[in-house]
Amino acid sequence: MALPATGRTILNRPTEQARASDTVAGKPLVHWSEEGQARSAYWRSERGVPPAKTILVTDDRIRADEAYGLACQGSAMLWRSDFQNARQLLVALAARADRKTGLSSAGEPQQLSAALFHRVRQMRAQRARTLSMLLIELDADYRVALRRAPDVHQACLHAYGPADGTSVVSLRELMGVIGAHQWYLRGIEIPAVGGRIYPHYGVFTPTRSEYVDLVAQAPLPTGAGKGISVFDIGTGTGVLAAVLAKRGVARIVGTDSDPRAIACAVENIHRLGLSGQVQIEQTVFFPPGRADLVVCNPPWVPARPGSALERGIYDDNSAMLKGFLGAVAAHLNPQGEAWLILSDLAEHLGLRSRDTLLGLIEAGGLEVVGRHDTRPRHPKSVDAGDPLHLARRSEQTSLWRLRAR
């Protein structure tokens, strides 16, 4: 329900704070008390963050400084007023969090190091925790019963699947779900596929077109024509499989271990009319058999992902990179090539050396027969306010052409 607007803040008293959450059928629950009535709902968090143990019911009378103080103390706020005012409060909380961490100021360039990377990542994780303390309730049909609330039913259905009851989610995550659904509805124009790619929620979005262009332009293995066979490892949206299909490759198998990616790739391949050339399989790494070309664009930063949503960026202990390079030789036909598409950002951050990468290539029984490089064109590469700007400014993405020795 919406509380009447006055000039003072309404919060639950300590006796009305949430008690510790439990689970139903393995799904976490969150509990709170509102107007003397016990309430509970499912807790949603794609990041796997547990619900706050203290929930205060509030509305648009709360001041931003007060809300920020509560969030920093670990108290969540369940919003019961105008939805657009909640969005404004979230912006105000973000501004305060940025000032506290210094993430929003350019300042003097800092010496790049692995320590700096981990410090920045820790600050961003703390910022995310703070901003996640502003909560929104969704009913059993993914509706928000607040003034000026958007219709989020389709966006939530696409991200979460069918609802199974009332739930509570952070406004920050809900805004991410809404934004991801807009990407999905609009699609991303990819000239190399002659159409659009429609990313699903939780699947890495191909907004960094430089790696797509590398695959679109690199020469196919010598002597290969339309009869070439290709494996696309970690296919994601299916964009690289689609690029190669548009280049005339007749037989492509795209693999991924994530069910969301499988559904996304299947839909995109179908939309582009390429189902006769591209087959999508859910598996870890390689499908059975060998191919003339095996392509992989693994996550480029060797660090532990904070959630499933970060697996397109962070590769814990370089597991995917090592798994690909260590086994791909056994999946290549004679004179076949493996294409590794990889940013060198990790090298500039001190997280992995070029010698380490070359050592992994050699240990996999591979040799480098060519390399194609490109500079990034995404906005972060020119954002002087990013503490890691020096690394991003020097970043280069390469397509390594490898053959079995």
Side-chain angles (χ1 to χ4, degrees):
M1 73 174 202
L3 299 176
T6 68
R8 61 186 184 83
T9 301
I10 290 183
L11 297 174
N12 277 359
R13 299 300 179 190
T15 55
E16 296 178 327
Q17 292 174 356
R19 54 190 174 86
S21 64
D22 51 22
T23 61
V24 170
K27 299 178 181 179
L29 284 177
V30 63
H31 303 270
W32 72 98
S33 180
E34 189 169 357
E35 295 187 332
Q37 299 294 316
R39 298 283 307 278
S40 65
Y42 290 113
W43 169 246
R44 294 191 179 278
S45 172
E46 285 291 310
R47 298 181 62 86
V49 176
K53 294 184 178 180
T54 301
I55 295 181
L56 304 170
V57 178
T58 190
D59 67 3
D60 54 13
R61 287 166 289 183
I62 191 169
R63 298 184 305 276
D65 286 339
E66 184 178 5
Y68 182 68
L70 289 169
C72 289
Q73 296 166 20
S75 295
M77 293 157 282
L78 182 60
W79 193 257
R80 291 304 198 201
S81 192
D82 185 272
F83 184 89
Q84 300 306 323
N85 287 352
R87 291 186 59 183
Q88 292 176 16
L89 177 58
L90 185 62
V91 171
L93 295 178
R96 285 160 174 76
D98 289 343
R99 286 200 297 269
K100 181 177 180 180
T101 61
L103 290 175
S104 63
S105 59
E108 292 297 321
Q110 301 186 56
Q111 184 65 38
L112 291 174
S113 66
L116 173 63
F117 166 77
H118 290 299
R119 186 164 67 253
V120 169
R121 202 163 176 231
Q122 184 178 38
M123 288 190 297
R124 286 174 173 163
Q126 179 57 51
R127 177 185 187 275
R129 284 192 292 271
T130 300
L131 298 185
S132 69
M133 291 296 171
L134 187 57
L135 310 181
I136 297 292
E137 185 177 6
L138 303 170
D139 71 15
D141 197 32
Y142 292 134
R143 307 290 180 183
V144 179
L146 300 176
R147 294 194 306 270
R148 294 200 294 168
D151 184 351
V152 301
H153 171 78
Q154 287 297 329
C156 290
L157 188 65
H158 192 248
Y160 300 134
D164 47 13
T166 302
S167 58
V168 169
V169 64
S170 80
L171 176 59
R172 186 171 186 262
E173 177 169 319
L174 182 60
M175 295 309 299
V177 167
I178 295 170
H181 194 58
Q182 290 303 309
W183 276 112
Y184 171 72
L185 293 176
R186 291 193 304 265
I188 300 170
E189 186 69 30
I190 306 290
V193 304
R196 291 180 175 272
I197 291 292
Y198 297 84
H200 287 204
Y201 181 73
V203 181
F204 184 73
T205 303
T207 51
R208 294 184 56 162
S209 60
E210 57 266 19
Y211 77 94
V212 176
D213 293 340
L214 284 173
V215 173
Q217 297 164 8
L220 294 171
T222 303
K226 291 189 176 180
I228 186 176
S229 58
V230 173
F231 295 161
D232 174 25
I233 309 305
T235 194
T237 60
V239 62
L240 296 185
V243 168
L244 291 164
K246 286 293 185 178
R247 293 188 64 179
V249 177
R251 293 177 293 140
I252 304 170
V253 179
T255 70
D256 209 295
S257 60
D258 182 1
R260 279 175 167 166
I262 294 297
C264 181
V266 167
E267 179 180 327
N268 282 313
I269 295 301
H270 176 74
R271 281 177 180 261
L272 292 167
L274 301 174
S275 299
Q277 295 168 256
V278 182
Q279 176 183 348
I280 303 298
E281 295 184 4
Q282 184 172 348
T283 187
V284 178
F285 286 112
F286 305 93
R290 296 172 180 262
D292 300 302
L293 175 61
V294 183
V295 179
C296 184
N297 176 36
W300 58 94
V301 180
R304 180 175 297 177
S307 68
L309 299 180
E310 293 185 341
R311 288 177 185 164
I313 302 172
Y314 299 106
D315 184 13
D316 191 15
N317 196 33
S318 299
M320 186 171 181
L321 177 65
K322 293 175 180 177
F324 175 73
L325 292 176
V328 68
H331 294 272
L332 290 174
N333 284 329
Q335 300 305 307
E337 289 187 14
W339 287 0
L340 172 67
I341 303 99
L342 190 67
S343 159
D344 66 355
L345 182 65
E347 297 176 21
H348 297 292
L349 292 172
L351 300 174
R352 180 176 57 233
S353 70
R354 177 57 60 92
D355 286 344
T356 297
L357 175 60
L358 294 175
L360 291 173
I361 291 172
E362 183 178 2
L366 302 162
E367 62 179 350
V368 180
V369 297
R371 198 183 81 204
H372 305 271
D373 304 321
T374 187
R375 292 289 183 182
R377 299 186 294 271
H378 57 86
K380 284 188 177 180
S381 65
V382 293
D383 180 8
D386 187 335
L388 305 177
H389 172 63
L390 290 180
R392 299 193 188 280
R393 187 177 64 187
S394 304
E395 182 185 5
Q396 180 174 270
T397 299
S398 300
L399 185 152
W400 296 78
R401 294 173 53 208
L402 311 172
R403 284 184 185 161
R405 291 201 308 270

